[in-house]
Amino acid sequence: MTFDDWSRGGLDTFLAVPPLSDLYSMLIASTNQLADYLARNMQSTAKRHAYSVSNLASAIADCHPNAGDARRSSYLHSQSDTRKVALNAALEQTDPIVRAYAILGVSDSLTTQKPNYGEQ
């Protein structure tokens, strides 16, 4: 089957790779929702939501040089202080992508395993 066949069938959008800006927008929106869950102390909901958000974040982390640092720093902050204080610090980040990864770092503290952030 060719791309033209897929296109005539209206299925060409399934073959398209979304632009990085769309993925960033999805990540920002999802982590804002995650921050809301964390702020409302909905830990089990946040943990479930964070799993899918984390997969997207990991897939595009290499495209943003500060992603790993922001996430790791926020995770460590939430280990040494309250989750609320760490979340407030994450929300103060001015760069929306850095803020998104920092929020994920706070949500990482909901798990008992220490996350592996790789060498980003």
Side-chain angles (χ1 to χ4, degrees), residues 17-94:
V17 175
L20 191 56
S21 60
D22 287 356
L23 295 176
Y24 279 160
S25 294
M26 288 170 44
L27 179 64
I28 291 166
S30 294
T31 54
N32 286 337
Q33 181 64 56
L34 179 58
D36 181 58
Y37 293 146
L38 290 168
R40 293 170 39 201
N41 204 29
M42 299 172 65
Q43 294 185 24
S44 60
T45 303
K47 192 173 179 179
R48 283 191 307 274
H49 185 70
Y51 178 75
S52 60
V53 176
S54 185
N55 289 337
L56 170 61
S58 296
I60 62 175
D62 290 339
C63 300
H64 199 282
N66 297 322
D69 291 339
R71 192 170 181 178
R72 185 180 310 101
S73 173
S74 191
Y75 171 79
L76 293 173
H77 189 182
S78 64
Q79 296 298 302
S80 63
D81 211 329
T82 67
R83 194 172 292 120
K84 183 176 180 177
V85 170
L87 179 61
N88 287 337
L91 293 172
E92 290 175 0
Q93 298 296 320
T94 56

Side-chain angles (χ1 to χ4, degrees), residues 93-105:
Q93 298 296 320
T94 56
D95 182 314
I97 300 302
V98 171
R99 183 173 51 248
Y101 281 96
I103 291 168
L104 282 170

